[in-house]
């Protein structure tokens, strides 16, 4: 037990218990002299009860009492909050139209006196129908000039609330957009998303209710500033925004001062490997977890040597003071190193559960463009470990929560109080003035593009995501992500979605002996000009594989056949000859990791928010992969 931690923890217990007693009114009236003694007795009793509860929970190794107690209090507080928010969500799903209208009108009232609110006369709008009649459906171009005014320091343009940052989107459907991020956006995400999903997680995976540390793979992004000094960067969870929670993670705080993502990843792995009691692996996206295990497979010998000798690799570019702080946390551990070495020498299939025998969960989004990474992790490195994909969210804010953690399909309940949602039927996406539907009007089995009004200045905004309604929870739609409109292959009007292409690709790879899919993307031949190798419009497909060094023409053609089987429209165009055969390129190992770095540098996207582009829209990206072709 660390005494310093104990001294810090006792005042916290006294405060929490005193407030609880005062609020509940359980103490009878008593003379002032008796109050300190009574509070002292209650405080000691409270500490004893908490210690008893803590003792029954699985704990991480080498933890001070103060560290364990702060985690215990945080877990219990968020648990209480999660149950409360879940009850609110359940109530809203029973009266979804009312919840949606209240959410919309609250936002209109809040921003009625802004330049934008006056332009559209928000103060006169009394209901949903009035809003839809007054305000047009919008895209990013509608806001570009307005956001530019905000970036140079003008206030009260679109929103009345003070701006936190100018948030950059990931740019998967084109150039990165710059959106507004506010305190309301963040608090809604935490209350309606994080708290609710942690409640769902603990119900589905009771073993996660523990005092083990989590290995959270995230990085310190680089922010730039607008002309008015407003930070520009990602609005996802960062080490800085999580600074009060860092003691819950295996990676020590000084590691987040390291600017290099590669070096920070090494430190993530190093301190995770030191702790055999890790309970959860967490990251925003499954791609980040996959690349971490790929790096582990490449550098495990160096990592084991550091643990054995109690040092930090000299290959890392660290400031002297950061290196000193990190190495103070390292002590030679030849026993742990020997165990790790034996596990690595036994191979990497199922390695996560062997390295961390008490690992209960991988907490990461593995739907949409991250589906492929989730499948690879479950089939290899993380075999036998359950996954939970908690949120459906974007830079624009929280959209839905997954209340069914153990289901293999990733379904998300739309959050009625997070965004006001409208739905464009898939059949009307190309219409100039399509009619939208509301939550209570959509039909199970149909696909729609989401149109959202959020807490940070987007009104009737086409977000670009197409979802399928797969059911209802009371009156509230449950959706499954289908594709991004900008990530659809469409050289002749055939409209092949990301999900459809990936299914065809997986079927083809299953017919290539020994092949394991690592990554892929496509380009339409029009962006490649003369380098595409064919006169008819066609798809240029880039794949990275394990277990295969060369593809035969017959194997390449299998992919074309598989897509024809899944898409009648694509097949008809192929039969007519108006779409030419696919050209499938096998690229060198590591090509997609290099492409990822280029894409992040170009779009100013951080490692925390990056999503691989499945359809390339920039010629230089396709040319880069052509230069990496090995077969």
């Amino acid at each position: 037990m660390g005494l310093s931690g104990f001294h810090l923890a006792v005042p916290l217990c006294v405060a929490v218990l005193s407030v609880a007693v005062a609020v509940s009114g359980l103490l009878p009236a008593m003379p002032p002299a008796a109050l300190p003694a009574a509070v002292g007795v209650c405080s000691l009793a409270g500490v004893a009860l908490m210690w008893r509860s803590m003792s029954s929970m699985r704990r991480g190794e080498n933890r001070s009492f103060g560290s364990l107690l702060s985690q215990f209090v945080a877990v219990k507080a968020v648990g209480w909050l999660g149950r409360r928010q879940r009850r609110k969500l359940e109530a809203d799903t029973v009266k979804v139209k009312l919840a949606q209208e209240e959410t919309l009108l609250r936002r209109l009232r809040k921003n009625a006196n802004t330049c934008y609110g006056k332009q559209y006369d928000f103060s006169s709008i009394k209901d949903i129908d009035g809003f839809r009649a007054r305000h047009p459906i919008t895209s990013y171009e509608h806001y570009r000039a307005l956001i530019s005014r905000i970036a140079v320091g003008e206030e009260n343009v679109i929103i009345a609330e003070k701006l936190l940052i100018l948030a950059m989107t990931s740019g998967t459907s084109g150039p990165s957009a710059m959106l507004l991020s506010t305190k309301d956006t963040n608090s809604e995400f935490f209350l309606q998303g994080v708290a609710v999903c942690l409640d769902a997680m603990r119900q589905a995976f009771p073993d996660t209710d523990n005092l083990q540390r989590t290995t959270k793979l995230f990085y310190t992004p680089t922010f730039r500033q607008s002309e008015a000094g407003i930070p520009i960067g990602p609005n996802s969870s960062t080490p800085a925004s999580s600074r009060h929670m860092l003691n819950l993670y295996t990676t020590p705080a000084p590691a987040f001062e390291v600017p290099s993502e590669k070096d920070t990843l090494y430190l993530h792995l190093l301190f995770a490997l030191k702790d055999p009691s890790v309970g959860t692996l967490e990251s925003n996206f499954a791609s980040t977890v996959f690349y971490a295990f790929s790096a582990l497979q490449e550098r495990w010998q160096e990592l084991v040597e550091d643990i054995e000798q109690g040092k930090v690799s000299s290959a890392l570019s660290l400031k002297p003071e950061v290196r000193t702080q990190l190495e103070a946390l390292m002590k030679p551990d030849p026993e742990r190193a020997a165990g790790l070495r034996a596990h690595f020498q036994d191979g990497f299939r199922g390695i996560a559960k062997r390295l961390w025998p008490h690992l209960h969960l991988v907490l990461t989004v593995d739907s949409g463009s991250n589906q492929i990474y989730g499948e690879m992790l479950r089939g290899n490195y993380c075999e036998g470990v359950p996954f939970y994909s908690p949120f459906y969210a974007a830079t624009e804010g929280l959209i839905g929560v997954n209340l069914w953690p153990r289901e293999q399909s990733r379904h998300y309940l739309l959050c009625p109080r997070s965004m006001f949602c409208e739905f464009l039927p898939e059949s009307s996406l190309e219409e100039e003035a399509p009619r939208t539907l509301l939550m209570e009007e959509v039909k199970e089995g149909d696909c729609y593009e989401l149109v959202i009004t959020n807490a940070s200045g987007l009104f009737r905004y086409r977000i670009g995501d197409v979802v399928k309604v797969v059911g209802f929870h009371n009156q509230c739609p449950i959706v499954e992500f289908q594709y991004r409109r900008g990530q659809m292959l469409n050289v002749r009007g055939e409209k092949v979605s990301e999900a459809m292409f990936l299914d065809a690709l997986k079927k083809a790879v299953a017919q290539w002996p020994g092949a394991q899919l690592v990554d892929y993307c496509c380009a339409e031949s029009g962006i490649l000009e003369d380098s595409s190798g064919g006169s008819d419009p066609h798809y240029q497909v880039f794949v990275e594989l394990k277990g295969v060094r060369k593809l035969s023409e017959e194997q390449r053609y299998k992919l074309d056949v598989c897509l024809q089987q899944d898409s009648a429209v694509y097949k008809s165009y192929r039969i007519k000859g108006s779409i030419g055969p696919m050209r499938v390129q096998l690229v060198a190992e590591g090509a997609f990791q290099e492409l990822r770095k280029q894409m992040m540098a170009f779009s100013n996207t951080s490692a925390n928010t990056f999503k691989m582009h499945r359809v390339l829209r920039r010629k230089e990206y396709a040319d880069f992969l052509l230069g990496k072709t090995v077969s």
Side-chain angles (χ1 to χ4, degrees):
M1 179 187 297
L3 288 178
S4 60
F6 182 80
H7 286 305
L8 286 171
V10 168
L12 176 62
C13 297
V14 172
V16 170
L17 288 163
S18 299
V19 170
V21 169
V23 170
S24 64
L26 292 177
L27 280 180
M30 59 183 67
L35 186 60
V39 171
V41 169
C42 289
S43 298
L44 288 172
V47 171
L49 286 171
M50 281 194 284
W51 176 246
R52 182 178 177 184
S53 182
M54 289 165 59
S55 299
S56 66
M57 300 170 74
R58 185 177 295 280
R59 301 186 298 278
E61 296 187 359
N62 301 317
R63 303 282 302 278
S64 69
F65 177 78
S67 173
L68 289 170
L69 185 60
S70 65
Q71 182 171 353
F72 176 84
V73 171
V75 164
K76 294 304 177 186
V78 174
W80 172 82
L81 189 62
R83 291 188 293 274
R84 181 170 174 266
Q85 290 296 130
R86 178 70 179 270
R87 287 193 296 270
K88 286 186 174 182
L89 175 61
E90 291 290 340
D92 284 337
T93 63
V94 176
K95 48 179 183 179
V96 71
K97 184 175 182 179
L98 176 63
Q100 282 275 275
E101 190 160 68
E102 287 177 350
T103 300
L104 172 65
L105 294 179
R106 185 175 67 251
R107 289 187 182 150
L108 297 181
R109 285 194 295 270
K110 186 170 185 176
N111 298 304
N113 291 322
T114 63
C115 297
Y116 193 86
K118 291 175 182 176
Q119 179 185 347
Y120 289 98
D121 198 12
F122 282 176
S123 60
S124 72
I125 296 174
K126 306 301 180 187
D127 54 28
I128 290 173
D129 289 340
F131 173 62
R132 292 201 289 176
R134 179 73 50 80
H135 198 288
I137 293 174
T138 63
S139 64
Y140 185 67
E141 286 307 311
H142 179 83
Y143 301 93
R144 188 184 295 276
L146 295 168
I147 292 173
S148 295
R149 287 164 57 186
I150 294 169
V152 298
E154 190 175 343
E155 296 182 352
N156 220 37
V157 178
I158 308 176
I159 56 172
E161 188 182 0
K162 184 176 175 59
L163 191 65
L164 292 180
I165 65 168
L166 290 162
M168 299 299 297
T169 65
S170 60
T172 48
S173 299
S176 290
M178 193 161 61
L179 303 177
L180 311 181
S181 182
T182 65
K183 185 179 177 182
D184 271 1
T185 317
N186 290 355
S187 61
E188 283 182 0
F189 192 96
F190 178 76
L191 291 173
Q192 299 182 46
V194 174
V196 169
C197 287
L198 286 176
D199 181 66
M201 180 184 80
R202 292 201 171 94
Q203 287 187 38
F205 308 105
D207 286 344
T208 59
D209 189 12
N210 60 54
L211 298 178
Q212 296 167 257
R213 277 199 168 108
T214 292
T215 291
K216 182 163 183 175
L217 300 166
F218 63 161
Y219 302 89
T220 299
T222 300
F223 282 88
R224 52 196 175 95
Q225 290 193 325
S226 74
E227 296 92 323
I230 303 168
I232 302 174
N235 68 343
S236 63
S237 170
T238 66
S241 66
S242 308
R243 60 188 179 279
H244 300 303
M245 305 287 286
L246 292 182
N247 68 310
L248 308 185
Y249 305 137
T250 52
T251 307
F256 295 111
E257 297 175 31
V258 178
S260 162
E261 181 196 336
K262 183 178 180 181
D263 288 349
T264 304
L265 175 55
Y266 185 94
L267 294 169
H268 277 314
L269 296 172
L270 178 64
F271 285 94
L273 291 174
K274 273 172 53 64
D275 187 350
S277 62
V278 169
T280 303
L281 297 180
E282 180 183 348
S283 190
N284 285 352
F285 299 118
S287 57
T288 309
V289 183
F290 175 77
Y291 285 124
F293 275 100
S294 298
L296 179 61
Q297 187 164 2
E298 181 183 334
R299 303 187 72 176
W300 69 264
Q301 290 173 306
E302 189 179 355
L303 287 157
V304 169
E305 185 179 308
D306 279 359
I307 290 170
E308 188 171 48
Q309 298 178 14
K311 63 181 180 66
V312 176
S313 172
S314 59
L316 273 59
S317 179
L318 305 176
K319 293 179 180 177
E321 61 271 23
V322 172
R323 180 175 290 279
T324 299
Q325 288 175 297
L326 293 172
E327 291 195 329
L329 301 171
M330 298 291 296
K331 293 180 180 178
D333 193 348
E335 184 178 349
R336 176 65 174 160
L340 291 170
R341 188 174 286 113
H343 289 314
F344 290 131
Q345 288 171 345
D346 284 343
F348 278 79
R349 190 179 186 90
I351 189 69
K353 196 67 175 172
R354 286 186 281 122
L355 297 175
W356 302 292
H358 304 297
L359 182 65
H360 306 299
L361 190 67
V362 178
L363 183 62
T364 189
V365 172
D366 62 354
S367 54
S369 61
N370 277 272
Q371 179 185 341
I372 180 176
Y373 304 111
E375 291 174 353
M376 288 189 293
L377 286 165
R378 288 191 293 273
N380 187 12
Y381 300 121
C382 297
E383 186 179 54
V385 184
F387 277 60
Y388 176 31
S389 182
F391 312 119
Y392 173 23
T395 306
E396 293 83 354
L398 176 70
I399 301 171
V401 289
N402 179 359
L403 299 184
W404 306 274
R406 285 196 173 274
E407 287 192 11
Q408 191 169 2
S409 297
R410 304 314 190 199
H411 296 158
Y412 302 93
L413 177 72
L414 296 179
C415 298
R417 299 266 179 194
S418 177
M419 293 190 180
F420 172 68
C421 291
E422 299 173 70
F423 302 81
L424 287 173
E426 193 176 30
S427 59
S428 67
L429 296 183
E430 304 304 324
E431 294 179 11
E432 282 192 20
R435 179 181 174 274
T436 62
L437 301 176
L438 302 177
M439 277 194 184
E440 67 273 15
E441 297 174 325
V442 295
K443 293 182 180 179
E444 184 174 345
D446 287 355
C447 291
Y448 305 88
E449 181 184 354
L450 283 173
V451 177
I452 59 101
T453 296
N454 71 358
S456 50
L458 296 175
F459 300 91
R460 305 197 77 198
Y461 180 73
R462 294 183 71 161
I463 201 170
D465 286 4
V466 174
V467 299
K468 182 178 182 179
V469 176
V470 295
F472 289 85
H473 183 68
N474 296 322
Q475 299 173 6
C476 193
I478 302 166
V479 302
E480 183 180 83
F481 177 86
Q482 296 296 292
Y483 59 89
R484 294 278 295 166
R485 288 191 67 202
Q487 289 284 282
M488 182 177 280
L489 289 161
N490 193 31
V491 296
R492 287 285 196 194
E494 71 282 6
K495 298 179 182 176
V496 173
S497 70
E498 177 184 328
M500 180 182 288
F501 186 86
L502 178 57
D503 283 345
L505 179 57
K506 288 192 291 188
K507 290 174 187 174
V509 171
Q511 299 176 59
W512 299 342
Q516 179 187 344
L517 183 63
V518 174
D519 224 326
Y520 81 98
C521 65
C522 311
E524 295 169 354
S525 57
I527 74 163
L528 291 164
E529 299 169 354
D530 295 336
S531 58
S532 64
S535 55
D536 294 323
H538 61 274
Y539 304 160
Q540 192 88 16
V541 182
F542 302 98
V543 294
E544 184 177 334
L545 303 169
K546 282 185 179 178
V548 172
R549 294 185 177 181
K550 188 175 182 180
L551 288 175
S552 67
E553 288 306 312
E554 183 182 357
Q555 287 174 319
R556 296 173 208 267
Y557 187 61
K558 288 277 189 188
L559 176 54
D560 202 300
V561 171
C562 288
L563 185 57
Q564 289 184 49
Q565 291 170 349
D566 288 352
S567 172
V569 179
Y570 178 76
K571 182 176 182 178
S572 69
Y573 282 125
R574 287 285 292 112
I575 291 171
K576 294 173 188 175
S578 45
I579 294 181
M582 283 184 209
R583 293 185 60 81
V584 182
Q585 312 281 358
L586 178 63
V587 299
E589 182 181 352
F592 277 86
Q593 288 205 45
E594 293 181 47
L595 177 64
R596 175 176 173 267
K597 291 176 185 175
Q598 287 200 10
M599 288 177 165
M600 284 196 296
F602 173 78
S603 61
N604 291 311
T605 306
S606 83
N608 299 324
T609 58
F610 176 80
K611 295 191 283 283
M612 178 55 69
H613 305 194
R614 297 305 175 197
V615 178
L616 303 179
R617 300 298 183 194
R618 295 185 62 84
K619 182 177 185 296
E620 54 264 49
Y621 294 155
D623 286 342
F624 171 81
L625 289 177
L626 281 171
K628 294 290 181 179
T629 297
V630 294
S631 170

